[in-house]
Amino acid sequence: MNAEPLRRPRLAVWKFASCDGCQLTLLDCEDELLGLAEQVEIAHFLEASSASAPGPYDLSLVEGSVTTAQDVERIHHIRAVSRRLVTIGACATAGGVQALRNYADVAEFRAAVYARPDYVATLATSTPISAHVPVDFELRGCPVDRRQLLEVITAHLAGRRPAVPAHSVCFECKQRGTVCVTVAHGTPCLGPVTHAGCGAICPTFGRGCYGCFGPSDSTNFPAFVPLLRRDGMDTLDVVRVLRTFNTAAPEFDAASRKELER
């Protein structure tokens, strides 16, 4: 009697409020994606195929933030049918750049942009997935790094913890032999408080880090913000640089609010 073939783990990729950049990072894996497709069943990934199979799923990757009441319902359903749920990108892990709405009047925005704002159903805030359901792992970035994304998928399918570093971008500058743009040129840089993962792209090209990967696991904003001021930033500059891709990340949010209270 022939043995039944082993069932391949089922992978699903979901989109909420986002630009699709993190899903495209997965598609850009090219050769690695072909190998991955041999090891898993891609049951739901509308960015790649219109075919969709119902759950349950062994691993769900979720891109985007929660911005509507329908989003809230949908993420609870996805969590219920997913053995493991991993959020990918700044929108899913910290609310994204669209979380700037959290500091303003959304009703005023709707009235200014839409001829019939009453047709537009939206929440007053943009929130990360973890604000609504338990999350097994958060992969940061805007967009995420392809190598880290493949590591996270491989690790979860193998039943181990992903080997994703928690240190700051400064470590990546040292690893690449990149001269510190702040020390050498007085360029404001968020590298000391930003999670590693990008490979220190901006400092390598002589620019300060913009904080795309969100706060690192150890931040010291009371000591860091004075350095930004030393390098020429005023209060508004500091608030603006903290309120970008990861504006609603607790550490960035608290630091920007404290600046406005000065």
Side-chain angles (χ1 to χ4, degrees):
M1 181 180 295
N2 294 329
E4 294 184 3
L6 293 175
R7 183 183 71 84
R8 290 183 296 167
R10 307 184 79 224
L11 173 68
V13 184
W14 308 91
K15 170 185 166 58
F16 284 75
S18 65
C19 71
D20 288 30
C22 293
Q23 294 181 79
L24 289 174
T25 298
L26 179 56
L27 292 176
D28 286 343
C29 289
E30 298 176 343
D31 293 341
E32 294 94 338
L33 184 60
L34 293 175
L36 177 65
E38 294 177 353
Q39 302 299 319
V40 303
E41 174 193 349
I42 301 179
H44 179 93
F45 188 6
L46 297 183
E47 188 80 13
S49 172
S50 59
S52 177
Y57 309 101
D58 294 286
L59 175 62
S60 278
L61 304 178
V62 180
E63 175 194 68
S65 64
V66 173
T67 59
T68 69
Q70 290 76 17
D71 285 346
V72 176
E73 295 178 4
R74 193 157 65 96
I75 193 55
H76 278 280
H77 170 71
I78 292 170
R79 175 70 270 189
V81 297
S82 302
R83 180 165 169 254
R84 291 192 177 98
L85 189 149
V86 173
T87 51
I88 57 173
C91 295
T93 61
V97 70
Q98 59 267 31
L100 286 169
R101 69 164 67 182
N102 299 1
Y103 305 105
D105 185 346
V106 172
E108 182 180 345
F109 287 163
R110 284 190 299 178
V113 174
Y114 299 100
R116 290 297 304 270
D118 51 307
Y119 286 178
V120 181
T122 186
L123 298 175
T125 58
S126 173
T127 48
I129 300 301
S130 61
H132 303 273
V133 297
V135 169
D136 294 293
F137 191 81
E138 294 184 320
L139 184 62
R140 301 178 183 179
C142 187
V144 292
D145 176 77
R146 62 190 295 272
R147 294 161 300 179
Q148 288 190 350
L149 179 57
L150 288 170
E151 162 61 17
V152 166
I153 295 173
T154 301
H156 278 282
L157 293 177
R160 61 176 175 82
R161 184 74 176 172
V164 175
H167 51 245
S168 71
V169 172
C170 292
F171 281 80
E172 295 185 314
C173 281
K174 291 181 174 65
Q175 289 172 338
R176 295 187 62 152
T178 300
V179 175
C180 178
V181 295
T182 298
V183 173
H185 308 294
T187 302
C189 178
L190 292 185
V193 296
T194 298
H195 199 284
C198 65
I201 295 174
C202 291
T204 299
F205 288 92
R207 300 183 300 179
C209 170
Y210 291 94
C212 304
F213 276 64
S216 62
D217 283 8
S218 58
T219 58
N220 185 354
F221 280 100
F224 175 68
V225 171
L227 297 180
L228 296 180
R229 292 183 171 278
R230 181 202 64 187
D231 295 328
M233 284 190 166
D234 60 20
T235 295
L236 186 57
D237 291 329
V238 172
V239 171
R240 282 175 173 169
V241 79
L242 293 175
R243 291 186 176 181
T244 55
F245 312 97
N246 291 272
T247 181
E251 296 87 345
F252 283 13
D253 175 60
S256 67
R257 290 181 186 274
K258 187 172 182 178
E259 274 303 289
L260 291 174
E261 294 172 357
R262 288 174 60 90

